[in-house]
Amino acid sequence: YTLSLHDALPIMTPMVDLAFLLLTFFVMTTTLRQNYTLILQQPLSDEAGNHRDVKAEHVLNVVLGREGKVFWYMGMPGSEAMQTDFSGSGIRKILLQKNQEIKDLYVFIKASDQSRYQSMINMLDEVAITGIANYSLVDLEVEDQKLIE
């Protein structure tokens, strides 16, 4: 009996079957990660590009500092600021309280270079959870920069 080249090769059919079974198993049992997006709405303006005026007493300024610190004040920059955090009795409580007190509340979110991106996302989540309709991401003023130093 002589061995030919055809007799020396392994039979590949069971290995291919196993590979397709494993591939099918992992495709069927895993779920692909869904993308979560955050929708930011731009403020409405007229044809000339002018935005509507906002009264200072209707504005809640939120300044995001380092290590999850949150500073807030009502009105114009330079007003007396308070410090809070993202806990349950922190900024969410303030947002709920101010939203009930002030009819057209505007929240200006100001992130510093020292704040983390996660803090800004947490703040946007808090605004969405509390149901505040008018909010905006705003640049820091000089007075705001003094708060976080």
Side-chain angles (χ1 to χ4, degrees), residues 24 68 121:
T24 305
I121 296 300

Side-chain angles (χ1 to χ4, degrees), residues 27-67:
V27 167
M28 297 289 186
T29 58
T30 59
T31 49
L32 300 175
R33 192 180 75 130
Q34 297 177 357
N35 291 333
Y36 296 101
T37 58
L38 181 66
I39 299 170
L40 292 177
Q41 297 177 349
Q42 298 294 325
L44 298 175
S45 59
D46 57 10
E47 290 81 23
N50 299 323
H51 300 292
R52 66 179 168 175
D53 294 331
V54 178
K55 295 180 181 178
E57 57 267 10
H58 291 184
V59 175
L60 172 66
N61 293 279
V62 179
V63 181
L64 305 175
R66 66 176 68 138
E67 298 173 10

Side-chain angles (χ1 to χ4, degrees), residues 1-10:
Y1 181 74
T2 59
L3 291 174
S4 66
L5 183 61
H6 180 45
D7 293 335
L9 294 176

